[in-house]
Amino acid sequence: MGDSAYSFSLTTFSRTGKLLQIEYALNAVANGRTSLGICARDGVVIATDKKLTSELVDVAHVHKVELLTPSCGVCYSGVGPDFRVLVHQARKSSQAYLRQFGEVQPVTQLVKRTAGVMQEYTQRGGVRPFGVSLLIGGVEADGTPRLYQVDPSGAYFSWKATAIGKNYVNAKNFLEKRYTDDMELEDAIHTALLTLREGFEGEMNSENIEVGVVRNGKFSILTPEQIQDYLDEAN
Amino acid sequence: MSRDSNYDHHISIFSPQGRLYQMEYCFKAASSGLTGVAIRGKDSVCVVTQKKVPDRLMEPSSVTHLFKLTQKVGCCVTGSMADSKSMVQRARYEAGKWAFDNGYPMPVSVLARRMADLAQVNTQAAASRPLACIGLFVGVDDEKGPQVFKVDCAGHYLPFFAAASGPKEQEAMNFLEKRVTDMKDFDNDEVIRTAITCLGHVLGSDFRGTEIEVGTIIGKEGRFHVLSEEEIESHLNAIADDADA
């Protein structure tokens, strides 16, 4: 940390004024497995493709959707190990908030902190940017559901619905056609699964995707059985 | 400095396509050397690797790729020997500190995750290169039963039913994939013999007891122990008998 040999930023401006390392990091994200999120009137759903290359992997214990606070969860597209670092940092900072203020950190503040960390890694000496974009779903202090995307640059956006990773363009078009402002959570979950299936390589089932839901201000990760119920309803 | 076109080959920064060349090169180094295979069964795990003593004057017991990390967690590390030993030292320290801080032994899943997080740091900070080694961590967890984790130079870690590392990784994984449903019910003998057979299959050779190393943990009360030459010989004989039958 702060090694004198690398006390200069590795992310520097090109002649045309671009920060190329950040653009390349976004390419790393675009190579990652698809994730998407939908913000409904009464909740949020985030979902990701968990397809792994080998049957030998114990896929039930691989987690790509993680809980950050009791009311907020996150999924990603991009470089897995980088995601773990951000989850760890976000959890620590939300615990510090809880200890100081006695209440669960609202999602917008959590997003700001996490985005700040990601921005730091584009400016600090000797490190590269994070190769992940995050989709964070949670509730504000007043209970309003929100969906945020945080990029490697540290920029964050609030979305009604969005997709990241491979095939995100088609997924976003699909979502745009189906999104309505007064959408309810159950519809949103169904739409999310349909969108994920659109671009899925091979057969999508309850084992090779992961879905997180914010319902009544509580975040939970759907079990394979619950996902199977939704998939059965869709058929 | 980062405008030099090949700088992304020298340190861990992104290439224009979003790849990390240093990590990819590191994988090449880590996948050279010996092949290791780890399998988890009904109530036990085992890890098997080749034993190649480069010189007859070398003390054979000092040449090993199997390491006990705690009483109940072992690992096989392949790749650069120096980097492997460094990772093992750190893993032993992390496990010891965790047990001291928390009052109970560090579960293999937590240790694997910790080592993976440490590996990730080297892929993001330019100051250190990633360690050129891949670890197969094995243990029998109090609550979750037998577990196998593979931790690589990039900081990826995944739980496996069976895993392989090294130059013959892909062939070994293909062999193991065909048997994945049966392996879940294997007892300790079957687990060990399948791992040995897998290694023999991909290396295209039969072994003597001195040419492979086997480490295993049996049951939730079990401890990581490395089999003696006699124990390995008896497994090899059993495999040969089954093959003849």
Side-chain angles (χ1 to χ4, degrees):
Chain A
M1 290 280 184
D3 216 77
S4 57
Y6 279 100
S7 345
F8 55 89
S9 176
L10 300 173
T11 306
T12 54
F13 289 102
S14 72
R15 256 170 297 213
T16 54
K18 293 197 203 175
L19 290 168
L20 290 171
Q21 273 299 295
I22 296 176
E23 302 212 359
Y24 301 162
L26 285 162
N27 287 342
V29 172
N31 290 336
R33 304 222 87 95
T34 315
S35 296
L36 52 88
I38 303 178
C39 187
R41 201 167 41 86
D42 55 340
V44 188
V45 57
I46 52 177
T48 180
D49 170 348
K50 196 166 75 161
K51 193 152 175 282
L52 282 152
T53 46
S54 172
E55 265 179 38
L56 291 171
V57 179
D58 186 0
V59 87
H61 290 101
V62 175
H63 298 295
K64 292 188 65 174
V65 177
E66 296 274 18
L67 180 141
L68 295 180
T69 74
S71 59
C72 164
V74 61
C75 74
Y76 76 101
S77 286
V79 179
D82 290 4
F83 172 63
R84 288 201 312 269
V85 174
L86 290 168
V87 166
H88 191 72
Q89 297 217 4
R91 284 172 172 168
K92 278 191 99 167
S93 98
S94 65
Q95 277 298 106
Y97 183 98
L98 176 64
R99 186 166 160 271
Q100 188 168 6
F101 296 105
E103 51 179 52
V104 173
Q105 189 174 32
V107 67
T108 317
Q109 296 196 34
L110 177 64
V111 165
K112 270 193 186 158
R113 278 289 250 115
T114 309
V117 169
M118 292 173 83
Q119 187 282 337
E120 196 193 311
Y121 276 67
T122 67
Q123 206 175 5
R124 179 145 73 95
V127 291
R128 61 162 172 80
F130 286 95
V132 292
S133 278
L134 304 174
L135 287 180
I136 301 182
V139 290
E140 296 271 33
D142 63 0
T144 318
R146 290 254 182 263
L147 171 69
Y148 284 95
Q149 172 180 342
V150 193
D151 275 347
S153 57
Y156 62 93
F157 317 95
S158 178
W159 289 92
K160 297 178 182 179
T162 186
I164 52 176
K166 269 196 218 329
N167 201 42
Y168 77 96
V169 177
N170 291 337
K172 280 176 89 164
N173 287 336
F174 195 91
L175 286 169
E176 244 177 275
K177 293 197 190 97
R178 279 162 185 69
Y179 185 82
T180 57
D181 279 327
D182 56 358
M183 201 175 213
E184 296 205 350
L185 184 57
E186 290 300 303
D187 288 329
I189 298 175
H190 278 293
T191 308
L193 291 172
L194 283 171
T195 315
L196 209 51
R197 181 184 283 174
E198 269 299 292
F200 207 86
E201 293 157 22
E203 199 201 302
M204 184 173 99
N205 57 49
S206 59
E207 301 283 317
N208 56 24
I209 58 171
E210 216 172 344
V211 181
V213 167
V214 180
R215 195 198 298 270
N216 298 328
K218 289 251 163 302
F219 177 78
S220 64
I221 302 176
L222 298 186
T223 63
E225 292 77 29
Q226 288 169 313
I227 297 180
Q228 191 56 50
D229 288 339
Y230 281 107
L231 290 174
D232 291 337
E233 279 174 38
N235 287 338
Chain B
M1 188 168 278
S2 47
R3 284 182 222 141
D4 288 351
S5 55
N6 273 341
Y7 205 54
D8 53 13
H9 290 252
H10 296 293
I11 57 168
S12 279
I13 58 177
F14 286 110
S15 76
Q17 295 76 30
R19 291 159 64 179
L20 290 167
Y21 281 112
Q22 267 297 295
M23 222 167 66
E24 299 182 15
Y25 300 160
C26 189
F27 267 99
K28 289 209 171 81
S31 297
S32 63
L34 305 182
T35 300
V37 172
I39 301 183
R40 90 180 199 206
K42 191 163 42 101
D43 57 359
S44 67
V45 285
C46 88
V47 65
V48 169
T49 184
Q50 300 163 267
K51 190 178 175 93
K52 280 193 192 158
V53 184
D55 190 321
R56 271 207 310 234
L57 289 172
M58 251 188 215
E59 180 64 48
S61 60
S62 70
V63 177
T64 177
H65 284 74
L66 298 184
F67 300 94
K68 179 168 102 162
L69 300 180
T70 71
Q71 301 273 33
K72 302 167 70 77
V73 176
C75 72
C76 165
V77 196
T78 53
S80 148
M81 200 56 186
D83 288 3
S84 303
K85 291 227 161 108
S86 170
M87 177 158 111
V88 165
Q89 252 332 77
R90 185 63 191 265
R92 285 171 171 166
Y93 162 78
E94 291 290 332
K97 180 171 188 299
W98 203 93
F100 179 78
D101 289 339
N102 295 287
Y104 71 99
M106 192 174 196
V108 62
S109 55
V110 181
L111 180 56
R113 186 181 174 125
R114 177 71 180 139
M115 297 313 294
D117 288 345
L118 290 170
Q120 188 278 344
V121 174
N122 294 333
T123 71
Q124 195 167 20
S128 318
R129 62 165 175 81
L131 292 179
C133 54
I134 298 180
L136 293 170
F137 289 73
V138 296
V140 180
D141 186 86
D142 286 344
E143 293 169 7
K144 299 186 189 142
Q147 297 201 297
V148 171
F149 287 88
K150 182 156 98 168
V151 178
D152 65 24
C153 353
H156 289 112
Y157 90 111
L158 288 172
F160 279 87
F161 297 116
S165 64
K168 298 285 178 187
E169 174 186 323
Q170 199 44 59
E171 293 96 326
M173 299 284 267
N174 291 343
F175 180 98
L176 295 167
E177 267 172 32
K178 296 195 184 97
R179 293 158 177 73
V180 68
T181 24
D182 295 334
M183 285 191 301
K184 292 173 198 174
D185 295 317
F186 278 1
D187 65 24
N188 185 245
D189 285 340
E190 289 169 304
V191 163
I192 294 179
R193 287 170 199 171
T194 309
I196 296 177
T197 312
C198 172
L199 201 60
H201 179 86
V202 302
L203 296 172
S205 61
D206 292 325
F207 300 115
R208 293 211 295 264
T210 48
E211 291 170 356
I212 53 173
E213 302 187 89
V214 180
T216 185
I217 306 174
I218 309 175
K220 292 182 180 175
E221 305 301 316
R223 306 213 155 165
F224 180 75
H225 78 281
V226 175
L227 301 191
S228 67
E229 225 180 275
E230 292 79 32
E231 288 169 302
I232 297 179
E233 283 288 348
S234 82
H235 282 292
L236 290 170
N237 290 335
I239 294 173
D241 290 339
D242 282 344
D244 291 336

